[in-house]
Amino acid sequence: MTEESLPSTMRIWKYASAKGGIEKHLSLHTSHSLPTPKLDKHLVQVLAVGLNPVDYKPAEAFIGTLAVKKPATPGFDFAGRIITAASGSTLKPGQLVFGAASTNAVAAGGLAEYIAAPDKIIAAIPSGLSPLTAAGVPVAAVTAYGSLVSHVKTGSRVFLNGGSGGVGTYGIQIAKVLGAHVTVSCSGRNADLCRSLGADEVLDYTARPLLEQLQQAAKTSGPFDHVVDNVFSDPALYYQAHTYTTPTTHFMEVASAPSLAFLRFAFGAQMLPGFLGGGRRKFVVFLSDVNRENIEKIGSWIAEGKVKPVTDQVFPMTEAVEAFKRLKTGRVVGKVIIDVAEEGK
């Protein structure tokens, strides 16, 4: 597609409220004006969008009423085709790219047929990777990478709480690339998937208390050197981390939402000493740094076959509401994708 053949309008999903669930308020606008990019942004035809918890959790929390200008459009991860390139960019018109739709993750605006995407947070899609699959890579894979790379080395014993979701499926594979021994939690139905991705040990949290299983694993095989919590289902996993980890272990929380309950937990975890009810291990709220370098690193590992994206389900553009409902079930395995261009490949 060229500038001359661009349509005069586009489809875009918007919401004016997220009270009671963003999916209850999303509406499809079919005659919206196309964006006009600034010099540091590309005009991109969006081919697919990968959904993430960040696409609804902040909007539905109290911060959403303060930080999100309405009406807003969700969609942080995308894959698309450059129509006009940003000034001075190495990326060119016609090139397939993937990355983040905006630096504002709370309401990134990707769920539209065209976006103005910042040059610094997108990268070329590696050869052989389809846009539908690439759309599910950026924030989940970069989050997994960032939560591990500075803390894991060959021989490290790593525990990932939540191995079958978007971040977890990447986390297993990235930890293995880094040379770690990987233990994950998931339900029994997803155990085989986690093993197929490289997990050395799988703990079925539906079988018996997860903390109990972690303590037993530490006694049997040694304490864990690093913990990444992709779920935030049980604060005791942090407060009792000293019973199954080494003294230098970092407990990395990536499933946080800006809710009052989490903020209270994080404050206690970070500020209170152990004798006043705090934890005994370093607690870190991890925020993903989605940039071209990190996206390209993950992309190269995918191209080399070291990391394999996992897709849960693909929805057409018109069924974005159903896609959000699926994302919020808590049973997603890998990534939920919206096929915006509906090219099917």
Side-chain angles (χ1 to χ4, degrees):
M1 182 179 293
T2 63
E3 289 184 73
E4 291 74 19
S5 61
L6 282 175
S8 58
T9 61
M10 68 174 184
R11 296 181 298 170
I12 184 171
W13 283 93
K14 290 179 175 289
Y15 63 94
S17 170
K19 185 177 181 179
I22 192 174
E23 72 280 2
K24 297 178 181 179
H25 304 278
L26 281 169
S27 61
L28 181 61
H29 298 240
T30 58
S31 57
H32 196 278
S33 299
L34 273 65
T36 302
K38 295 181 180 179
L39 291 178
D40 61 342
K41 295 182 178 181
H42 307 270
L43 178 63
V44 177
Q45 179 193 9
V46 178
L47 301 179
V49 166
L51 295 186
N52 297 284
V54 73
D55 292 320
Y56 72 88
K57 284 187 176 181
E60 293 179 359
F62 72 93
I63 193 175
T65 61
L66 303 174
V68 180
K69 184 179 179 181
K70 310 292 194 314
T73 297
F76 191 56
D77 283 356
F78 82 96
R81 180 182 293 110
I82 293 179
I83 304 301
T84 58
S87 177
S89 175
T90 57
L91 299 172
K92 304 300 179 185
Q95 198 163 11
L96 294 175
V97 293
F98 67 142
S102 169
T103 55
N104 176 13
V106 178
L111 201 48
E113 290 184 306
Y114 294 88
I115 61 172
D119 180 59
K120 63 182 181 180
I121 53 177
I122 68 173
I125 295 179
S127 176
L129 181 62
S130 74
L132 279 181
T133 303
V137 174
V139 73
V142 169
T143 297
Y145 175 78
S147 67
L148 291 164
V149 68
S150 298
H151 304 277
V152 174
K153 58 185 178 181
T154 300
S156 295
R157 284 178 51 77
V158 174
F159 169 59
L160 306 178
N161 186 27
S164 59
V167 178
T169 51
Y170 285 114
I172 293 170
Q173 299 175 82
I174 291 170
K176 294 306 295 183
V177 171
L178 297 173
H181 177 282
V182 182
T183 298
V184 301
S185 68
C186 67
S187 64
R189 69 179 181 273
N190 294 324
D192 287 343
L193 168 68
C194 290
R195 291 190 184 97
S196 73
L197 296 175
D200 299 288
E201 186 174 1
V202 178
L203 307 179
D204 180 358
Y205 67 84
T206 67
R208 59 192 178 97
L210 182 55
L211 177 58
E212 184 180 302
Q213 296 184 64
L214 287 167
Q215 291 167 335
Q216 183 59 52
K219 290 179 181 178
T220 303
S221 304
F224 293 96
D225 302 295
H226 189 58
V227 176
V228 179
D229 185 3
N230 299 315
V231 182
F232 186 55
S233 57
D234 183 3
L237 292 181
Y238 169 68
Y239 286 117
Q240 295 298 314
H242 60 280
T243 65
Y244 62 89
T245 64
T246 65
T248 58
T249 293
H250 284 65
F251 191 102
M252 197 77 69
E253 181 62 64
V254 304
S256 56
S259 65
L260 291 175
F262 177 77
L263 292 176
R264 283 195 296 266
F265 166 75
F267 176 82
Q270 292 181 309
M271 304 302 293
L272 293 179
F275 69 89
L276 288 179
R280 304 184 194 177
R281 295 294 183 262
K282 178 69 173 178
F283 179 82
V284 180
V285 177
F286 180 77
L287 299 176
S288 183
D289 181 17
V290 180
N291 58 55
R292 180 176 295 174
E293 182 180 0
N294 287 340
I295 298 170
E296 287 179 340
K297 169 61 75 174
I298 302 301
S300 68
W301 283 350
I302 293 173
E304 294 166 10
K306 295 178 179 178
V307 173
K308 176 185 176 182
V310 177
T311 298
D312 178 87
Q313 194 170 343
V314 178
F315 292 83
M317 174 69 159
T318 53
E319 296 181 14
V321 171
E322 295 305 312
F324 272 93
K325 289 180 180 178
R326 173 61 185 169
L327 178 66
K328 296 175 74 172
T329 62
R331 298 190 296 272
V332 170
V333 178
K335 298 292 297 182
V336 172
I337 306 295
I338 296 177
D339 184 358
V340 174
E342 298 181 19
E343 295 182 351
K345 59 181 179 178

